[in-house]
Amino acid sequence: MSQGTAAALNGKELFTTNCVSCHALQDDGIGPPLGGITSLLSKDVLTSFITNPGKFIEAGDERAVSLSRRYKLIMPPFDFLKKEEINAILGYIEDETKVHGIKPLIVKKEVTIAPRLAAPVTKSGLQIELEDFVLIPPSSDKMPRTRIANMRPHPSGDGTLYVSDQRGIIHRIENGQVNTFLDIRPLVENYINEPGLGTGLGSFAFHPDYQNNGLIYLTHTEAFKGKKADYEYADSVKVFLQWVVSEWKNNDVKSPVFKGERRELVRINVPGNVHGTQDIGFVPGLSKNDRDYGMLYIGTGDGGSTIGKHPELCHSKNSLLGTIIRIDPLGNNSKNGRYGIPADNPFVNDADPLVRKEIYAYGFRNPHRMSWHMTNGKTMFSTEVGESNFEEINIIQKGGDYGWNVQEGNYGISPKDLKNVYKLPGAETAKTVKPFALYDHIDGNAISGGYVYEGKIDALKDKYIFGDIVNGRIFYVNINKALSDSTVHEMMIVQNGNETSLRKMSGSERVDVRIEYDGFTKEMYVMTKSDGRIRRISKAGFSGNQ
């Protein structure tokens, strides 16, 4: 392989890993097309912009400001990329531009600023202190050093915690020591964790009877090699990758290392590398007599179908894309015979044979995280990562339609124009379930789901605590029995008596934050991919009262 060929392949790989989630070369994506950009701006300017886009917008750069207004978001910083990696990406863009004759996007100056469509998030005066808990070992020599995504407590409540890394590892944390519990990479044929920020080991969940049956459930991505899926679509639409939900049976539940067998439950074809099967879970703390006991909830986004110009693949009860499904993993009455469809699912008696009876709720773009508040009537929360306008917290209703891809937030949207929303006529607003709470892209880029806190820190009780993935701001909504307050507040982080931020603490403009909770110990944790650290909330109080 020549040096030139090797450099080109490296640039393509870096572009695919870091850019294609939001950008294409010729067409609109979440962000603008990148073809031809190197003919408009110098590599030095582009490198500075990629490292810190917000700085250009704050300085009033005309192109950056216009693009941010048009696409209604600020590109997250890629300050973890080395200069030679950015040069490789730009070299790949330049080569592809020449080969395909791509014309650069000429940006018209946006004179007016669109009005805010959601109330701004305001500082509440509530402050939290974070203490270091553990440092997760790096899973790659590439940045970010880890891709930590989910935390689960051991079902026994013994204080042991398990943390997944999207690169394919589940870590076991006991007494401050971190060790590998399960590495799926050598065990799963065609396993991939790139491209895209959501691919890899998506999520995992212990069966509530794990101590007796040893069952763990995982979601992961595989390269498409022609394997037949349980959800497929027309051959005219390319399969980008497959999401798989599988069951792993541990031979010894007391062992610190997994050893056992696995079986596949469901395989889903998706047309893009974003918005996959990124969270699964069981309702916690139920008795075996409860009809929800042992029922596995699985959240899958639209798979990039809408932005990939195939909106017909989601917002349909005939599709598993853009849904939260509910299955009995120990049953067998599904189409493939590998899991059960609960008799009390909302569409189980639908006469249409094409309706997927697994569906519990539908109309989602990216139901990124799920959690339950058990002291408030088994309330199910799901956070929805939005397109260009809103980040949502949804309360999940059985059989509910949440509107994507014809609605975003409380507004209408067209699959042909995902950047702009419009007011809905009254008749349309009654057809879907509206968000419980939301914020817009002036306050953040992508919501990081959370939990209702019920621990020992009085100032945090009865608050649904969540954050923004990119900028690392920590938010909350007060939760009462009537669910009547949907105001989003920001809490501040204090360290050594001084106000700080996760950007400062992690040393990166791109924080990649996740909020996690141990339902047994009632401890809440903040995980940041950028530095691989897990921190624990140690104190909280309103200004002057900590």
Side-chain angles (χ1 to χ4, degrees):
M1 180 182 290
S2 70
Q3 187 174 355
T5 304
L9 288 174
N10 184 45
K12 181 178 181 180
E13 180 184 353
L14 287 164
F15 179 86
T16 303
T17 300
N18 296 286
C19 307
V20 296
S21 294
C22 297
H23 301 279
L25 289 169
Q26 298 190 64
D27 300 315
D28 258 354
I30 296 173
L34 298 181
I37 189 66
T38 56
S39 67
L40 295 178
L41 301 170
S42 72
K43 286 191 175 182
D44 285 343
V45 170
L46 288 168
T47 299
S48 296
F49 180 83
I50 291 168
T51 303
N52 191 353
K55 186 176 181 180
F56 278 70
I57 294 169
E58 291 169 5
D61 180 88
E62 186 173 304
R63 181 180 177 88
V65 170
S66 294
L67 286 173
S68 69
R69 291 177 182 173
R70 176 175 175 175
Y71 290 90
K72 300 182 180 178
L73 51 79
I74 298 175
M75 187 179 107
F78 284 78
D79 54 346
F80 55 83
L81 289 174
K82 299 174 183 176
K83 187 173 182 179
E84 55 266 30
E85 292 176 322
I86 295 175
N87 285 338
I89 291 171
L90 296 177
Y92 169 75
I93 292 172
E94 189 169 13
D95 290 345
E96 290 295 297
T97 297
K98 292 176 182 177
V99 169
H100 299 288
I102 302 170
K103 301 294 184 183
L105 174 68
I106 304 301
V107 179
K108 296 180 180 179
K109 183 178 180 180
E110 298 284 341
V111 178
T112 60
I113 300 176
R116 283 195 89 142
L117 300 174
V121 176
T122 58
K123 294 183 180 181
S124 63
L126 181 58
Q127 299 176 338
I128 59 172
E129 290 191 18
L130 301 177
E131 62 182 12
D132 285 347
F133 181 62
V134 293
L135 177 66
I136 299 297
S139 54
S140 172
D141 55 1
K142 299 178 182 178
M143 289 295 287
R145 67 190 310 279
T146 71
R147 296 184 67 203
I148 48 179
N150 291 103
M151 174 188 286
R152 308 290 191 225
H154 191 279
S156 68
D158 65 0
T160 306
L161 298 171
Y162 296 78
V163 173
S164 63
D165 183 311
Q166 288 170 273
R167 292 189 175 112
I169 304 166
I170 297 178
H171 299 284
R172 181 176 184 268
I173 303 171
E174 184 177 21
N175 298 323
Q177 299 298 310
V178 183
N179 293 289
T180 300
F181 172 69
L182 171 61
D183 185 347
I184 73 171
R185 292 173 293 185
L187 305 176
V188 175
E189 186 180 17
N190 303 319
Y191 174 76
I192 54 173
N193 76 90
E194 296 174 346
L197 302 176
T199 51
L201 200 170
S203 184
F204 71 105
F206 291 96
H207 191 280
D209 200 27
Y210 172 77
Q211 292 182 90
N212 293 313
N213 61 29
L215 298 178
I216 311 169
Y217 297 89
L218 274 74
T219 76
H220 70 269
T221 46
E222 293 183 18
F224 180 60
K225 301 294 183 180
K227 282 189 179 181
K228 183 170 178 57
D230 300 292
Y231 171 71
E232 300 177 316
Y233 39 78
D235 292 344
S236 58
V237 182
K238 180 182 177 181
V239 178
F240 196 96
L241 50 79
Q242 294 180 316
W243 275 95
V244 181
V245 181
S246 54
E247 177 186 271
W248 298 64
K249 183 175 176 59
N250 196 357
N251 294 337
D252 181 3
V253 297
K254 295 181 180 180
S255 172
V257 178
F258 177 92
K259 186 175 182 181
E261 302 172 343
R262 69 182 172 98
R263 70 180 183 95
E264 186 172 307
L265 273 67
V266 61
R267 180 176 293 261
I268 301 172
N269 285 348
V270 294
N273 64 323
V274 291
H275 316 158
T277 309
Q278 295 187 117
D279 203 20
I280 58 176
F282 295 93
V283 183
L286 299 179
S287 73
K288 290 188 176 182
N289 296 324
D290 194 296
R291 297 178 77 172
D292 240 349
Y293 180 86
M295 300 299 108
L296 180 62
Y297 288 79
I298 303 169
T300 300
D302 75 351
S305 58
T306 304
I307 205 163
K309 297 181 172 55
H310 292 286
E312 73 281 1
L313 297 182
C314 70
H315 199 209
S316 166
K317 290 183 285 186
N318 300 346
S319 170
L320 292 184
L321 298 181
T323 67
I324 293 175
I325 67 173
R326 176 178 178 259
I327 67 170
D328 178 0
L330 305 184
N332 59 11
N333 66 332
S334 61
K335 289 182 179 179
N336 66 10
R338 298 188 191 121
Y339 57 90
I341 298 176
D344 59 339
N345 268 14
F347 307 115
V348 76
N349 295 317
D350 196 301
D352 185 347
L354 296 180
V355 167
R356 302 300 303 232
K357 308 302 195 293
E358 302 96 326
I359 294 175
Y360 189 80
Y362 67 106
F364 300 101
R365 178 182 180 270
N366 186 4
H368 188 254
R369 289 292 183 268
M370 302 179 293
S371 65
W372 287 264
H373 182 31
M374 301 306 293
T375 61
N376 200 31
K378 202 194 294 184
T379 303
M380 181 180 179
F381 293 91
S382 176
T383 48
E384 171 89 323
V385 178
E387 178 73 29
S388 294
N389 294 279
F390 303 106
E391 301 301 311
E392 304 175 7
I393 302 170
N394 290 304
I395 293 177
I396 304 304
Q397 298 178 14
K398 183 178 180 179
D401 174 1
Y402 288 79
W404 179 260
N405 49 21
V406 296
Q407 291 183 28
E408 186 180 20
N410 296 310
Y411 290 78
I413 195 167
S414 168
K416 295 180 180 179
D417 179 11
L418 297 175
K419 308 306 173 192
N420 296 293
V421 295
Y422 57 89
K423 288 185 177 181
L424 287 166
E428 292 295 313
T429 61
K431 294 181 180 179
T432 58
V433 182
K434 298 303 178 292
F436 166 61
L438 50 77
Y439 63 95
D440 65 22
H441 282 184
I442 296 174
D443 283 312
N445 287 61
I447 193 168
S448 181
Y451 298 81
V452 177
Y453 181 87
E454 298 172 315
K456 297 178 181 179
I457 303 174
D458 288 339
L460 300 182
K461 284 185 177 179
D462 300 323
K463 288 175 170 49
Y464 179 83
I465 298 172
F466 62 105
D468 188 83
I469 292 173
V470 178
N471 63 30
R473 294 171 69 186
I474 307 297
F475 304 136
Y476 71 89
V477 176
N478 289 307
I479 302 299
N480 55 40
K481 287 187 177 181
L483 296 172
S484 60
D485 185 358
S486 59
T487 307
V488 178
H489 307 273
E490 181 176 10
M491 60 177 67
M492 306 312 296
I493 301 171
V494 174
Q495 190 175 40
N496 300 322
N498 298 313
E499 190 174 299
T500 185
S501 69
L502 286 175
R503 280 179 164 168
K504 292 177 182 177
M505 295 177 77
S506 67
S508 174
E509 288 292 303
R510 185 188 181 93
V511 175
D512 265 323
V513 68
R514 300 295 187 273
I515 310 296
E516 296 295 348
Y517 190 58
D518 183 341
F520 294 103
T521 64
K522 311 298 184 185
E523 298 278 9
M524 185 163 278
Y525 299 87
V526 176
M527 307 198 310
T528 46
K529 290 184 185 180
S530 52
D531 59 357
R533 288 196 178 275
I534 301 177
R535 298 172 175 90
R536 180 168 50 196
I537 299 180
S538 59
K539 296 179 182 179
F542 286 87
S543 300
N545 295 321
Q546 268 192 302

